[in-house]
Amino acid sequence: MRSPVHGTARLLSGAGLAAALLLPAAPAHALAPSVLPAADGQGQRLPGMPAMLDADAGQTACTPASGEKAKKQDWSRQRLDLDRLHRHGTGAGVTVALIDTGVVAGATGLDGRVTAQGAAGVDCVGHGTFLAGLIAGDGGGTPGLAGVAPRARILALRGTDERGRADADLVAEAVRDATRAEAGVIAIAVALPRRDAGLSSAVAEARRAGAVVLAAATPAPPSRGAGDEIPARTYWPAGEPGVLSVADMLPNGARPDGSLRTGGIDLAAPGAGVVSGGPRGDGHYLGGGASVATAYAAGAAAVVRAAHPGASPAVVTRRLTATAYPGDVPQLDPYAAVTAVLGDAAGATGGRAGSDPVSLRDTSAADRATGRATLFVLLGSAAVLCVLWAAFAVPRARARGWRAAGAGEPDRG
């Protein structure tokens, strides 16, 4: 099912990058600023984006606007090589249905490309708007913080109540709405502990209609006492047949400490210390979890669908999994997913057989020009060295009468 692609991992260097990245879900009023390690070693403080609001705090205020803005591209976008990816595709023409807490249509970086259905136009928690920025945001005034598919459209659908608590009936109805809207990609950012017949039916219908369906492999880990152990289990709808189950990872490819255990994960993507915007203001937040990873994978699916419009959902899924960087869980590589040449068997059947060959091609004229320039520099350097060697060696050879170095004086008889 999972076939590695030959290549090198784009792991970030820098001391302490993996430290303090994971942000557990917490009530909005209890969030303290978190530190985002910067490339220059100077920490940058950003507030955390909660996955849900405190259910026991009465009329809890919505997540407040952030007064802080990120100054640099975060590790996750560097790891996914989005600058390079965007030379090959931006997801134009593809609609991604995002099922979460809602999305504010006029949020910074999303204006004009969001359609919100029903209550999904209001996002008190802010989590859905945060994820929408990772999928299709243009970065606002910070181009380095664009999403994976900055020209895709977002169909916002509510799969939770206004405080972010997931509900199987709401998720099932949202999936049906996404199917009726003919969304090319359906990203389900919530995870439920029990299978629901209505949700299973809705997901199966969406797949038959031609949508690529992705879901968070686990929910955000709950607060629990020291020593508490939550057994491994399957979460839904990530466990449904044909659904791409996505988990979160740290820069080193490992899952964050405290992550809920589950099986059947298809793909891992950055899901800790990730930067995006929110529904209010133009500031930035930090977020993490499998929902964040799912947003990144959904954006990649949108770019693949735009770049390969004739590909079936199974082939799009195959591209995402077969080109993933090998690890305990294959790690998302959007650039490879778009530019890979899949084996004939995968292309013909839409299957995921791990034995199918995968090769990469670089279709970028800019990349080819870079290769030619490198060759010219090497040739030029060699020519300069030859000239310098000649300038040094020729006079010495002439002085020796063109005899080899170390030869004795000629016999003059």
Side-chain angles (χ1 to χ4, degrees):
M1 175 177 175
R2 295 160 182 159
S3 173
V5 63
H6 298 294
T8 57
R10 292 182 294 274
L11 296 178
L12 295 185
S13 60
L17 180 60
L21 284 180
L22 180 64
L23 293 174
H29 66 272
L31 289 171
S34 301
V35 176
L36 171 68
D40 58 7
Q42 297 178 353
Q44 183 178 336
R45 300 184 71 81
L46 296 175
M49 174 61 73
M52 65 179 65
L53 302 178
D54 188 350
D56 299 322
Q59 295 297 319
T60 303
C62 297
T63 301
S66 170
E68 302 295 329
K69 298 188 72 172
K71 299 174 184 177
K72 296 180 180 292
Q73 188 178 55
D74 64 348
W75 76 271
S76 64
R77 290 167 172 86
Q78 295 177 42
R79 175 64 178 268
L80 297 176
D81 208 358
L82 296 191
D83 292 339
R84 190 182 189 200
L85 171 69
H86 292 159
R87 298 202 297 266
H88 296 274
T90 56
V94 177
T95 295
V96 179
L98 174 59
I99 301 174
D100 196 53
T101 63
V103 178
V104 173
T108 300
L110 294 170
D111 193 20
R113 289 180 296 109
V114 175
T115 301
Q117 192 159 317
V122 177
D123 185 13
C124 183
V125 180
H127 191 257
T129 306
F130 181 94
L131 299 184
L134 301 178
I135 297 171
D138 63 16
T142 313
L145 294 180
V148 183
R151 292 190 62 191
R153 295 190 59 84
I154 295 290
L155 172 61
L157 298 163
R158 180 76 72 78
T160 72
D161 65 14
E162 64 180 6
R163 298 186 184 183
R165 292 174 295 191
D167 179 89
D169 291 338
L170 290 176
V171 177
E173 186 57 33
V175 173
R176 295 188 192 99
D177 288 341
T179 302
R180 286 190 285 267
E182 300 181 345
V185 178
I186 301 177
I188 305 170
V190 301
L192 300 163
R194 287 175 294 278
R195 194 174 193 182
D196 178 83
L199 179 54
S200 298
S201 175
V203 168
E205 180 184 353
R207 294 191 63 247
R208 287 193 298 269
V212 176
V213 184
L214 310 91
T218 64
S223 299
R224 56 185 188 271
D228 288 351
E229 186 70 22
I230 298 179
R233 64 184 307 166
T234 298
Y235 294 90
W236 307 93
E240 294 291 345
V243 173
L244 195 69
S245 175
V246 187
D248 46 338
M249 73 178 190
L250 294 168
N252 64 1
R255 295 199 67 200
D257 291 341
S259 297
L260 295 175
R261 294 182 295 154
T262 188
I265 299 172
D266 296 308
L267 200 62
V274 173
V275 178
S276 189
R280 289 162 283 280
D282 60 357
H284 295 125
Y285 305 80
L286 281 179
S291 59
V292 168
T294 301
Y296 270 145
V303 178
V304 171
R305 296 219 80 162
H308 304 277
S312 69
V315 170
V316 173
T317 299
R318 166 69 178 155
R319 282 186 168 275
L320 295 173
T321 56
T323 62
Y325 190 81
D328 291 339
V329 178
Q331 300 164 20
L332 177 66
D333 186 342
Y335 175 80
V338 170
T339 61
V341 179
L342 294 181
D344 292 339
T349 66
R352 296 196 209 173
S355 60
D356 293 334
V358 177
S359 60
L360 297 180
R361 61 185 176 89
D362 192 345
T363 58
S364 169
D367 291 344
R368 292 195 299 271
T370 299
R372 290 195 298 269
T374 301
L375 178 61
F376 292 153
V377 168
L378 292 174
L379 292 175
S381 299
V384 170
L385 290 174
C386 288
V387 171
L388 292 175
W389 177 85
F392 170 78
V394 169
R396 294 174 63 87
R398 183 182 294 115
R400 293 195 303 268
W402 304 102
R403 283 176 285 104
E409 290 292 324
D411 186 3
R412 301 181 184 275

